Amino acid sequence: MSSQIIESHRENAEIYTDPSLCKVQSVQLLQKFNLPKGLLPLDEIIESGFNEATGFVWLKQTNKTEHKFREIGRTVSYDTVVTAFVEDRKMKKLTGVKSKELLIWVTVTDIYIQDPNSGKITFGSAAGLHRTFPVSAFEEEEKNNLNE
């Protein structure tokens, strides 16, 4: 399904396939939309794309990855393809991202910063669950955080 939606947004999209450029572009995109730079801590991105007209972004990586955000003690799983529609301080219709809540994985579908002065970022699921954390927990972390 994600490959079909990516194909429908490829025309006029800015697409990168060089892994070093993909990483840079993904961080720049987060900055452009006033989201924390460490929100998508993916290192093996093989394709990234952004269609400015539709706000659609996609990131393809070689393998699924897990990342533990130490400050909040949460593990997040990133599938081989992550997609979203982005706008200022928001990611909507997010696919490919799950957060571990107690013993189950919950699919994250929305991420937003309601009030930039609050220092809080909210994550929502299709089931209506929402969790709010400090934005600072999602700033870039040191590289030694892998597989903790």
Side-chain angles (χ1 to χ4, degrees), residues 26-86:
S26 69
V27 172
Q28 287 175 343
L29 193 65
L30 290 168
Q31 289 177 301
K32 177 179 180 173
F33 288 99
N34 300 304
L35 292 164
K37 294 187 299 183
L39 196 58
L40 299 171
L42 311 177
D43 288 322
E44 297 180 17
I45 305 170
I46 54 173
E47 181 177 296
S48 66
F50 174 58
N51 185 319
E52 192 162 5
T54 63
F56 185 74
V57 62
W58 71 90
L59 302 167
K60 292 182 180 181
Q61 57 179 347
T62 53
N63 298 302
K64 291 182 179 183
T65 59
E66 287 187 7
H67 179 84
K68 183 168 185 172
F69 290 96
R70 285 188 248 169
E71 189 176 318
I72 59 168
R74 300 290 169 132
T75 300
V76 178
S77 171
Y78 298 90
D79 206 343
T80 54
V81 178
V82 175
T83 68
F85 287 90
V86 293

Side-chain angles (χ1 to χ4, degrees), residues 14-148:
E14 191 175 318
I15 301 170
Y16 296 92
T17 55
D18 177 299
S20 60
L21 290 176
C22 290
K23 177 67 177 175
V24 169
Q25 196 262 351
S26 69
V27 172
Q28 287 175 343
L29 193 65
L30 290 168
Q31 289 177 301
K32 177 179 180 173
F33 288 99
N34 300 304
L35 292 164
K37 294 187 299 183
L39 196 58
L40 299 171
L42 311 177
D43 288 322
E44 297 180 17
I45 305 170
I46 54 173
E47 181 177 296
S48 66
F50 174 58
N51 185 319
E52 192 162 5
T54 63
F56 185 74
V57 62
W58 71 90
L59 302 167
K60 292 182 180 181
Q61 57 179 347
T62 53
N63 298 302
K64 291 182 179 183
T65 59
E66 287 187 7
H67 179 84
K68 183 168 185 172
F69 290 96
R70 285 188 248 169
E71 189 176 318
I72 59 168
R74 300 290 169 132
T75 300
V76 178
S77 171
Y78 298 90
D79 206 343
T80 54
V81 178
V82 175
T83 68
F85 287 90
V86 293
E87 54 188 69
D88 189 40
R89 298 188 323 260
K90 292 181 186 176
M91 295 181 102
K92 302 184 299 185
K93 298 182 182 177
L94 186 64
T95 67
V97 179
K98 295 180 181 180
S99 175
K100 194 162 195 179
E101 295 287 329
L102 298 175
L103 299 174
I104 62 169
W105 288 97
V106 176
T107 300
V108 178
T109 57
D110 298 289
I111 301 172
Y112 58 92
I113 300 172
Q114 192 78 33
D115 175 7
N117 296 323
S118 71
K120 302 287 184 185
I121 187 167
T122 302
F123 297 80
S125 74
L129 298 173
H130 290 82
R131 296 282 184 259
T132 301
F133 300 102
V135 170
S136 61
F138 302 94
E139 291 301 333
E140 281 188 306
E141 296 179 338
E142 296 299 317
K143 294 291 183 195
N144 64 1
N145 190 26
L146 298 175
N147 298 319
E148 286 186 12

